[in-house]
Amino acid sequence: MAITIDKSQGFVIMWRSIIDTAVWSNPKLYKVYQWCFFRANYKPLGEYQGLKRLNLNPGQFIMSYPHAAEELNMSQGTVYNYIRLLKVERIIERSSYNKYTIITVLNWNDLQNPERFSE
């Protein structure tokens, strides 16, 4: 099975030290963790939710549990529990509203700064 990569969608930096964390040892948690990075905006973005304009910063994205469950091939309860665990571990922040949730990947700029490749 060949995999086709759409390079127009950009990339995410993943640091090798992830294998030394508790996230790595739990496959479902790691999948949700990676999904958050892949969904996060890499530049400021204005997005509408109904008639309300939301200004999202790099490292933020809007999610709903039904859509996340579908994309991750998990139940909504499982997604909720792993998102909650990422929040407890201070990897993300979660701001929940009536129809959507804003996820913020903490330390986004430190983790995704290409200038750090030289370190």
Side-chain angles (χ1 to χ4, degrees):
M1 174 172 88
I3 297 175
T4 304
I5 303 294
D6 180 359
K7 294 179 183 175
S8 69
Q9 294 186 26
F11 61 92
V12 172
I13 298 169
M14 189 54 49
W15 296 96
R16 289 184 176 152
S17 60
I18 189 70
I19 65 173
D20 299 326
T21 69
V23 171
W24 179 260
S25 63
N26 183 324
K28 286 185 180 178
L29 180 59
Y30 182 68
K31 184 176 183 179
V32 175
Y33 171 84
Q34 282 288 80
W35 179 81
C36 288
F37 274 80
F38 294 145
R39 285 283 161 221
N41 293 307
Y42 64 92
K43 62 182 178 180
L45 178 70
E47 190 170 314
Y48 281 95
Q49 285 295 315
L51 297 175
K52 184 176 182 179
R53 180 179 169 86
L54 302 172
N55 294 312
L56 301 174
N57 294 316
Q60 292 184 312
F61 66 101
I62 296 172
M63 67 162 277
S64 71
Y65 288 100
H67 288 113
E70 184 178 329
E71 284 188 11
L72 291 163
N73 196 25
M74 297 177 181
S75 72
Q76 288 183 45
T78 300
V79 172
Y80 178 83
N81 288 332
Y82 284 114
I83 290 289
R84 184 179 53 80
L85 185 54
L86 290 173
K87 183 178 188 295
V88 167
E89 292 295 324
R90 300 186 47 85
I91 295 168
I92 64 167
E93 285 183 351
R94 175 183 67 184
S95 302
S96 296
Y97 301 93
N98 195 22
K99 296 188 179 197
Y100 61 90
T101 298
I102 296 177
I103 300 293
T104 302
V105 177
L106 298 175
N107 301 317
W108 174 263
N109 290 330
D110 290 339
L111 295 169
Q112 294 303 302
N113 185 348
E115 314 242 331
R116 295 190 62 190
F117 277 132
S118 62
E119 291 181 6

